[in-house]
Each structure stands twice: as C-alpha cells, then as structure tokens.
Amino acid sequence: MGCGSGILSIAAILLGAKSSTGVDIDENAVRIAIENNRLNNIHGDRFIAYSGDVTNDTKLQDKIGYNKYDLIAVNIIADIIIGMSHTFPLFLKSGGLVIASGIIEKYLQDVLNNFKGLGFEILEVNKSEDWVSVTAIFN
C-alpha cells in the first residue's frame, strides 16, 4: 500500500515472492514503480500496480482482490496507515501479515490500538531513533 518507487515490491520478488501488487494514490508513483520493476527484470504479472484511493473505491478494491495476500507492507505516516487500515482485512488471507513502518514513536499507541480494534494481533514492534515499525497478523 503506497507503492512509491516500487522498492518493497522489487525486494520481495528478488527475495522469492512469486508476485507483488502495488497500490498508490499517486499516478506518478505507480508509473515509476512499474518502470523500476522492469529495470529489475520483473515483468508480466509478477508485478501489477494500481492507482487510486483504496479506502473508498470499491472498484479498485475488486481489482486488487479479496483474501488473497500473504503480506501487506505500508511505509507511510501513522494517520494514513490508520485511515486505510480498515481495508487490510479485506485483502489479507487468514494468517496474513501487515508490516507498517514510517510511524513516529509518539503515534505508536494509536496504530497499535487501531490494529487491535480490527482484529490484528501485534507480533513485533521495532524502534530506530524516533521511528517505529509494527508487524501484526490477521487471524
């Protein structure tokens, strides 16, 4: 979620993922992510990217697909993570993970409370200076 340059998708595929799907509200980010995947010899249906607002666009949600992902990676500020997090259970398989980073430490509890309220179990919290990442599982 928030595919940016596509680096997380590229890393996932190079580390063994069969495929990756990128979603970003910014059309330029989607274009750049597609190009960066091509530059890394990732072609065809191994990387698919969509542009749009996943929080309220049911047609986009239909395209992304329901209950089919093992992992969602999101590296955006806490407010945006919380704002889109209600969609995570739609897309994840049971037992799927969310790795959320880009969180400033003072907003950590807000993210944790939000995830728990959606039925996620918090597996891990990592801190580096004032930045935090959260790994959670959806059962």
Side-chain angles (χ1 to χ4, degrees), residues 72 74 78 80-86 88-89 92 97-101 103 108-125 133-138:
I72 292 175
V74 57
I80 296 175
I81 292 170
I82 290 169
M84 67 170 39
S85 63
H86 69 278
F88 298 166
L92 286 172
L97 298 174
V98 170
I99 301 173
S101 58
I103 303 164
L108 172 61
Q109 197 59 53
D110 295 337
V111 173
L112 295 176
N113 291 342
N114 174 261
F115 279 11
K116 289 175 186 175
L118 292 169
F120 286 91
E121 176 187 343
I122 307 304
L123 298 178
E124 188 173 279
V125 174
S133 70
V134 174
T135 302
I137 189 169
F138 184 70

